[in-house]
């Protein structure tokens, strides 16, 4: 009823305004791709003579989306128009003076900024929500697809929730496939894990997104139901907390890759008032990837981390980059990604691709192919500029075998206005190319020679620090190089009955793939004692005839490992001592089982 009333009032105000306003003019526009001559979707920003932007949907407030042709009424007078299509195309700006009752037809020809598409680079956004939780604005799949195409995305993966009545992998596949077309792929994915300890926002394990996974397990279970059931989200205090690595294992079994998103994001604010949680006015609220240090030394169990989120999250982005450099410098080939975390159900939130990842693909966009390229680091991330690093004939994700005599390198960068371009070795800037300043296209050649392991990335900035692009590394490694081995747990097990009597039985080392327990080994124990070596990500299951079977997680049921994760604070995530502490504690794990008959 409230929505109907607001709509009626709004319509009445519109009618009153229409009767008193000056006669309007009409702008009819068409957007053309300069290379193909085809009509293409674009984002249109019209600033009318009265200073008001022209919009047509509350999910996007900086203009409107066009399928390639549009017609809008505006007040007569001086009117400015900006037609854009993401980062690949040079925006067209035009200023018009429109007379009352005039109908002006305009054609806008958009030129690609670079040759990257012809070279096999495709861009997408893997972290966007149709329904995030606010539910202030409800959009449908055609609108989401149009927004993505207008922003020049080659693919968009839309996460939960979804505005359809029957949510299933098959229905999501049907809906998204119907809106996909040559040059654009719409797909679905999940923000998973999205995991809090007993639903408390102060104690997060971390958020992630998936890409490229199948919708059902090999035995037919719904992957959406499985993954959502495994994460304890806000206020879900009654749900047992599953470690992220067990969720990541399920994603991998489904053929997908998984990335930690906004790994260093946190803030203080008001939270609570639901379930068992009282309202707190200045609560520490964490989206940090607190489990990531454990997942790294025990695996890694994940594939990538977002080093770039929306540009306004400058501090969180700086810390995420610091974290990534830390991982690279300790020998972990973790790919860098970026995503926008767009929320279409929030006013003004429906802007996918504010941050996007470009992947180099052998062939067109197919999501398993995209997932593989992301995991391999054949990509760069950006909030505006375009950037490619090439060394020794390879680009991001490639390896140059040591020893490496002089290798030819090249950086190519594009933006509306570049401010600087940098070459970074092992986390330190080794070359700054000031000649790029003020240009919209820049190429530089350089030489590199290495005798020791190293990694190189390129970074460039647009007109300010908010517009940045960062490549994944080119690696210099000896033949046969191996990454750090996963840390293993040394576990002392005690098994007694309710009166403390030692028991005899079997202890199984179990690898959890979501809810599915895969037995890796079985050891007999006597007199209630056992010492064993196992993966740090394992659970131990104890079986004794006549007693109930019990299972414990090395991480979740051993407080010295679990509690530092649950109570992580800023600064600890980017301190290598946190990683080493997890590795050290894994060497001295003790689990006690008290079995009931």
């Amino acid at each position: 009823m409230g929505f109907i009333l607001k709509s009626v009032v709004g319509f009445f105000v519109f009618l009153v305004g229409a009767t008193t306003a000056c006669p309007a003019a009409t702008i009819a526009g068409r957007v053309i791709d300069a290379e193909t001559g085809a009509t293409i979707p674009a984002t249109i920003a019209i600033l009318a003579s009265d200073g008001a932007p022209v919009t047509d949907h509350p999910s996007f407030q900086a203009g409107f989306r066009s399928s390639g042709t549009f017609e809008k009424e505006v007040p007569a007078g001086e009117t400015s128009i900006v037609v854009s299509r993401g980062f690949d195309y040079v925006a067209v700006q035009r200023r018009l003076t429109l007379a009352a009752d005039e109908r002006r037809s305009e054609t806008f020809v958009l030129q690609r900024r670079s040759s990257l598409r012809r070279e096999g680079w495709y861009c997408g956004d893997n972290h966007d929500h149709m329904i995030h939780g606010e539910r202030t604005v409800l959009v449908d799949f055609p609108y989401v697809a149009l927004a993505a195409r207008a922003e020049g995305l080659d693919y968009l993966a839309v996460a939960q929730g979804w505005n359809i009545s029957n949510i299933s992998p098959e229905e999501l596949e049907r809906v998204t496939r119907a809106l996909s077309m040559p040059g654009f792929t719409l797909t679905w994915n999940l923000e998973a894990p999205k995991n809090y300890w007993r639903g408390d926002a102060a104690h997060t394990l971390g958020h992630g997104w998936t890409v490229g996974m199948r919708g059902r397990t090999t035995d037919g279970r719904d992957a959406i139901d499985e993954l959502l059931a495994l994460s304890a989200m806000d206020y879900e205090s009654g749900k047992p907390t599953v470690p992220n690595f067990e969720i990541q294992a399920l994603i991998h079994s489904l053929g997908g890759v998984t990335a930690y998103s906004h790994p260093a994001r946190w803030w203080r604010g008001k939270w609570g008032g639901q379930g068992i949680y009282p309202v707190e006015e200045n609560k520490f609220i964490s989206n940090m990837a607190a489990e990531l240090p454990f997942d790294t030394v025990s695996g890694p169990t994940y594939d990538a981390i977002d080093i770039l989120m929306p540009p306004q999250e400058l501090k969180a982005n700086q810390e995420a980059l610091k974290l990534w450099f830390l991982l690279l410098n300790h020998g972990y080939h973790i790919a860098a990604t970026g995503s926008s975390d767009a929320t279409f159900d929030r006013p003004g939130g429906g802007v996918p691709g504010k941050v996007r990842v470009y992947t180099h693909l052998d062939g067109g966009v197919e999501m398993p192919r995209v997932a593989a390229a992301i995991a391999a680091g054949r990509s760069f991330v950006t909030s505006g500029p375009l950037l490619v690093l090439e060394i020794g004939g390879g680009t991001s994700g490639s390896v140059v075998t040591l020893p490496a005599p002089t290798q030819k390198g090249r950086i190519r960068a594009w933006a509306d206005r570049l401010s600087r371009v940098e070459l970074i070795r092992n986390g330190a800037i080794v070359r700054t190319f000031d000649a790029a300043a003020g240009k919209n296209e820049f190429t530089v050649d350089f030489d590199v020679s290495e005798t020791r392991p190293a990694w190189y990335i390129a970074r460039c900035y647009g007109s300010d620090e908010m517009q940045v692009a960062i490549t994944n590394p080119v690696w210099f490694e000896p033949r046969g190089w191996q990454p750090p081995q996963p840390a293993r747990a040394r576990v002392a097990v005690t098994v007694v009955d309710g009166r403390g009597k030692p028991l005899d039985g079997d202890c199984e080392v179990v690898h959890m793939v979501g809810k599915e327990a895969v037995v890796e080994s079985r050891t007999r124990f006597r007199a209630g004692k056992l010492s064993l070596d196992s993966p740090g990500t394992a659970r131990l299951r104890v079986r004794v005839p006549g007693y109930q079977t019990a299972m414990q997680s090395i991480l979740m049921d051993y407080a010295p490992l679990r509690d530092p994760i649950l109570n992580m604070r800023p600064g600890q995530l980017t301190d290598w001592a946190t990683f080493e502490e997890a590795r050290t504690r894994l060497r001295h794990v003790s689990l006690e089982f008290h079995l009931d008959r």
Side-chain angles (χ1 to χ4, degrees):
M1 181 65 185
F3 175 77
I4 296 173
L5 179 61
K6 289 178 183 178
S7 299
V8 171
V9 171
F11 185 64
F12 177 75
V13 171
F14 172 78
L15 289 179
V16 171
T19 60
T20 58
C22 297
T26 300
I27 301 174
R30 185 179 179 214
V31 185
I32 301 295
D33 186 304
E35 291 183 19
T36 67
T39 302
I40 53 174
T43 297
I44 317 298
I46 300 177
L47 188 64
S49 60
D50 60 2
V54 176
T55 64
D56 63 6
H57 200 291
S59 186
F60 181 56
Q61 298 176 340
F64 60 92
R65 314 297 192 183
S66 167
S67 61
T69 58
F70 62 91
E71 188 167 311
K72 295 291 183 181
E73 285 193 354
V74 295
E78 190 171 272
T79 304
S80 65
I81 305 177
V82 179
V83 178
S84 62
R85 193 169 195 248
F87 305 159
D88 280 18
Y89 289 83
V90 179
V92 173
Q93 303 183 42
R94 208 164 283 176
R95 190 176 296 274
L96 309 173
T97 301
L98 302 173
D101 297 322
E102 178 184 4
R103 186 180 189 279
R104 180 78 63 87
S105 294
E106 295 284 332
T107 298
F108 302 87
V109 180
L110 298 188
Q111 182 77 47
R112 282 194 183 269
R113 189 181 301 281
S114 72
S115 60
L116 292 187
R117 164 54 69 80
R118 294 194 300 273
E119 297 171 20
W121 291 90
Y122 296 83
C123 68
D125 193 352
N126 300 290
H127 184 187
D128 300 85
H129 298 273
M130 177 177 275
I131 302 174
H132 182 260
E134 287 78 3
R135 296 180 180 271
T136 307
V137 180
L138 196 60
V139 303
D140 56 18
F141 273 99
Y143 180 82
V144 169
L146 177 59
R149 295 174 63 214
E151 291 295 337
L153 292 170
D154 298 311
Y155 75 87
L156 179 70
V158 186
Q160 76 274 21
W162 302 280
N163 182 20
I164 53 176
S165 57
N166 176 31
I167 295 175
S168 69
E170 292 75 21
E171 182 63 11
L172 285 168
E173 185 68 21
R174 184 191 68 80
V175 171
T176 55
R177 185 182 295 142
L179 292 164
S180 299
M181 60 193 68
F184 174 72
T185 298
L186 184 66
T187 187
W188 64 274
N189 68 343
L190 284 169
E191 184 180 26
K194 187 173 184 178
N195 218 355
Y196 300 94
W197 174 258
R198 296 174 180 167
D200 188 338
H203 304 302
T204 184
L205 303 183
H207 296 186
W209 49 258
T210 71
V211 65
M213 71 176 190
R214 298 182 298 275
R216 291 197 179 271
T217 63
T218 54
D219 58 357
R221 287 173 287 133
D222 185 320
I224 299 170
D225 291 342
E226 293 283 308
L227 287 167
L228 294 181
L230 290 168
S231 287
M233 300 189 190
D234 294 75
Y235 302 109
E236 292 187 325
S237 57
K239 184 184 286 188
T241 302
V242 174
N244 282 346
F245 54 75
E246 294 181 356
I247 303 171
Q248 292 158 354
L250 176 57
I251 293 166
H252 288 150
S253 75
L254 293 164
V257 300
T258 175
Y260 268 111
S261 192
H262 44 67
R265 178 198 286 170
W266 65 276
W267 67 96
R268 285 191 172 274
K270 185 176 180 179
W271 187 86
Q274 296 184 35
I276 67 172
Y277 294 107
V279 173
E280 297 181 59
E281 294 293 336
N282 188 34
K283 186 180 179 69
F284 174 75
I285 301 173
S286 174
N287 283 178
M288 292 194 305
E291 195 187 300
L292 182 146
F294 183 89
D295 291 351
T296 301
V297 300
S298 298
T301 63
Y302 58 98
D303 303 292
I305 64 169
D306 279 346
I307 63 168
L308 198 58
M309 294 296 292
Q312 64 269 22
E313 297 189 40
L314 185 59
K315 179 62 176 176
N317 287 336
Q318 290 171 342
E319 290 298 297
L321 186 67
K322 181 179 177 181
L323 171 62
W324 184 51
F325 284 0
L326 187 72
L327 297 171
L328 299 184
N329 279 334
H330 283 86
Y332 291 98
H333 283 209
I334 300 298
T337 51
S339 61
S340 68
D341 203 3
T343 52
F344 280 88
D345 62 340
R346 181 184 298 168
V351 189
K354 286 182 293 186
V355 175
R356 59 189 70 183
V357 57
Y358 279 75
T359 55
H360 191 258
L361 304 176
D362 295 325
V365 173
E366 294 180 2
M367 297 320 297
R369 185 182 293 152
V370 170
I374 288 173
R378 297 194 297 271
S379 56
F380 69 88
V381 297
T382 179
S383 57
L386 306 178
L387 180 66
V388 174
L389 170 67
E390 299 160 314
I391 298 178
T395 187
S396 297
S398 64
V399 176
V400 179
T401 303
L402 291 173
T406 301
Q407 303 289 310
K408 297 296 183 182
R410 172 173 287 184
I411 296 174
R412 293 179 291 156
W414 301 263
D416 284 332
R417 184 180 182 276
L418 291 163
S419 55
R420 70 181 185 274
V421 174
E422 300 166 340
L423 180 67
I424 296 174
R425 177 188 183 273
N426 292 355
I429 300 170
V430 293
R431 295 279 302 274
T432 299
F433 303 99
D434 295 322
K439 297 182 178 180
N440 53 35
E441 182 176 348
F442 178 73
T443 299
V444 63
D445 294 314
F446 55 90
D447 292 334
V448 175
S449 59
E450 291 285 352
T451 59
R452 299 175 62 85
W455 54 269
Y456 285 82
I457 66 171
R459 176 171 62 188
C460 75
Y461 292 91
S463 57
D464 57 41
E465 299 290 310
M466 308 288 271
Q467 299 177 33
V468 60
I470 304 169
T471 72
N472 267 285
V474 173
W475 300 90
F476 285 78
E477 294 170 345
R479 194 177 305 279
W481 176 91
Q482 293 293 321
Q485 292 300 301
R488 294 182 66 82
R490 298 173 185 171
V491 190
V493 180
T494 302
V495 185
V496 297
D497 67 8
R499 294 174 296 178
K501 175 186 174 182
L503 301 174
D504 299 340
D506 293 313
C507 179
E508 298 171 330
V509 175
V510 174
H511 171 60
M512 298 296 296
V513 181
K515 298 177 183 177
E516 182 182 1
V518 179
V519 177
E520 295 192 349
S521 65
R522 182 179 292 108
T523 305
R524 184 74 177 167
F525 64 86
R526 296 187 182 279
K529 294 291 184 180
L530 175 67
S531 294
L532 55 80
D533 178 270
S534 80
T537 55
R539 294 195 189 201
L540 302 185
R541 183 163 60 190
V542 170
R543 299 181 185 273
V544 175
Y547 290 83
Q548 294 182 10
T549 299
M551 185 160 61
Q552 292 189 36
S553 164
I554 289 173
L555 175 62
M556 287 300 171
D557 293 303
Y558 182 56
L561 277 171
R562 179 194 65 220
D563 291 351
I565 291 173
L566 300 182
N567 297 296
M568 182 175 289
R569 288 299 182 265
Q572 292 178 295
L573 183 61
T574 54
D575 185 348
W576 190 250
T578 304
F579 294 72
E580 286 300 324
E581 180 184 4
R583 187 183 295 273
T584 299
R585 291 177 186 269
L586 274 168
R587 299 191 186 107
H588 307 283
V589 177
S590 59
L591 295 177
E592 295 184 2
F593 291 82
H594 297 265
L595 303 188
D596 296 324
R597 286 190 176 275

